[in-house]
Structure formats: C-alpha cells, structure tokens
C-alpha cells in the first residue's frame, strides 16, 4: 500500500486569510465536489508564490463563491493573493489516475482532467 495523489485543485488563488479562526482551509463546496475532497479530509497545500507547504483539513465554503481561505496558524504562512495547489492523497495498492481541477484566477473551474 502506498499514499498516492488522488485529486488536486491546481493554481487556485487564496481569497482570504483569517488568523483568528481555529485552523483549516475553507474551500468552495463546488470545488470540493469536483475535486472529490471530503469535508474534514487532510490536504497538502503548497504555495507556488513562496514555496511553503503545509497540511490541514477541509471545511466547506459557500458554493459558487470561489473562496479559498487559509485559517488559523496557516494564515501566517500562506497569505491572501498567493497561488496554491491543494492536494488530497489516498492509500492504495495500485496506481491511481488523479483528478485535477484547473481553475482561473477567480477560482472558477476551467477544466477537469
């Protein structure tokens, strides 16, 4: 068994950073559904802007809003306006073709691979 990439949201833009929240990443539920992320799922978030990498968990954001909000301590590391890749992994005994959700700068879906 290996942990393999299951899905990702590619080149999303962080729309908010909220240090006073208890922690996590808020993601538009439409994006979560298309990527196959579960609420509460652990994800790896990588900033293309700064190179910062962190793990957190998904909380639901307003459907259709395009929200990607870094919450709690993560908001100190990844700021509003940064470009990020959000990845979910799966434990599997065979290779997986990951689902990749491509978004524009407003976090609207432009392609799913």
């Amino acid at each position: 068994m290996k942990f393999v990439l299951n899905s990702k949201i590619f080149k999303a833009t962080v729309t908010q950073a909220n240090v006073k929240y208890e922690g996590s990443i808020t993601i538009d539920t439409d994006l979560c559904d298309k990527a196959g992320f579960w609420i509460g799922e652990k994800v790896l978030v990588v900033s293309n802007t700064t190179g910062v990498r962190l793990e957190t968990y998904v909380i639901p954001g307003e459907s259709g809003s395009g929200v990607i909000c870094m919450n709690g301590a993560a908001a100190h590391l990844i700021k509003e306006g940064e470009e990020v890749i959000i990845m979910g992994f799966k434990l599997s005994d065979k290779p997986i073709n990951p689902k990749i959700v491509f978004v524009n700068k407003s976090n609207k879906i432009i392609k799913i691979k």
Side-chain angles (χ1 to χ4, degrees):
M1 302 285 284
K2 296 182 180 187
F3 283 103
V4 294
L5 180 67
N6 187 53
S7 59
K8 71 179 173 180
I9 299 172
F10 188 67
K11 291 192 173 184
T13 302
V14 175
T15 59
Q16 301 168 23
N18 181 1
V19 176
K20 295 186 179 188
Y21 191 83
E22 59 194 45
S24 60
I25 182 171
T26 304
I27 303 175
D28 176 326
T29 54
D30 287 345
L31 291 175
C32 285
D33 290 344
K34 295 298 183 188
F37 292 149
W38 295 352
I39 302 310
E41 178 178 351
K42 179 171 89 170
V43 291
L44 174 64
V45 183
V46 178
S47 172
N48 285 341
T49 306
T50 65
V52 166
R53 302 170 71 88
L54 61 87
E55 290 182 338
T56 190
Y57 62 93
V58 176
I59 62 172
E62 182 181 342
S63 178
S65 67
V67 66
I68 302 288
C69 181
M70 301 307 304
N71 296 303
H76 289 290
L77 299 174
I78 299 178
K79 312 274 187 207
E80 184 176 331
E82 290 190 35
E83 182 183 89
V84 294
I85 300 171
I86 306 162
M87 295 171 274
F89 296 85
K90 180 178 185 175
L91 188 59
S92 178
D93 61 352
K94 59 186 174 209
I96 293 175
N97 288 324
K99 182 184 285 189
I100 304 171
V101 177
F102 295 85
V103 296
N104 63 18
K105 297 218 181 272
S106 300
N107 297 328
K108 301 300 179 201
I109 297 169
I110 53 175
K111 179 170 77 169
I112 299 175
K113 180 178 164 185

